[in-house]
Amino acid sequence: MIRDWIAAERRDLATVLDGLSVGQWEAPSLCAGWTVGHVVAHLTMPLRYSTPRFLLGLARAGGRFQRMSDAVARRDATLPRAQLIAALRDNAEHPWKPPGGGYEGALTHDVIHSLDITGPLGIGRQFPAEPMRVVLDTVAGPKSRRYFGAGTGGVELRATDLDWSHGSGAPLVGRAQDLALLLTGRRVPEGAFSGAGQRAFSGQGTSRETGNAG
């Protein structure tokens, strides 16, 4: 089931990317320092790179995944747009899973980076409730929260567009996708949330990776 959701998301995003202008491709994303093109290059890296090629790149980066990821995104963003979009569409059913993240992590990786692309461009995305619930459960989990430093103690996160909540305390209420962005260190539009729990997340920054799904 989750693999079907992953495949559908990749195909949907590929269709969105097909319609972008050159200016939109080069526009800033929600990932700090990356354009839309950089994010697409990163998003497709595990679909385009064999395991030996990935390990070689990681070794050249001194074992530092963030350094390798940034280098690959900046280099591969120069590839033809059609090639990167085809890599996403043609590998919609690719069985990649992030280490330790399972298919839940793969789905989260794709959805969050999709929002990194479409959010700043003002392109609305509507995700089915069940996949979005899996993403929220993943980013609200302890491993993800440790990575992003998203302390949720004393706050109840509550989605307005699907049946999902997490934690207890002062309410922080908003759309599921905005809650997911908040929990992964992204900035969200002003006024996206309501409730007293907003104060716990004041000064939220930007991020590049989606935890173990990076």
Side-chain angles (χ1 to χ4, degrees), residues 25 57 84 118 179:
W25 190 264
L84 291 173
T118 58
L179 290 170

Side-chain angles (χ1 to χ4, degrees), residues 63-94:
R64 299 180 182 181
F65 175 76
Q66 294 283 16
R67 176 184 291 179
M68 175 203 170
S69 177
D70 190 64
V72 169
R74 295 185 186 281
R75 182 186 67 236
D76 290 1
T78 64
L79 293 171
R81 290 173 51 187
Q83 181 177 334
L84 291 173
I85 296 170
L88 185 64
R89 179 179 286 115
D90 295 347
N91 290 284
E93 298 183 11
H94 192 288

Side-chain angles (χ1 to χ4, degrees), residues 55-66:
L55 293 175
L56 178 60
L58 189 61
R60 287 175 173 169
R64 299 180 182 181
F65 175 76
Q66 294 283 16

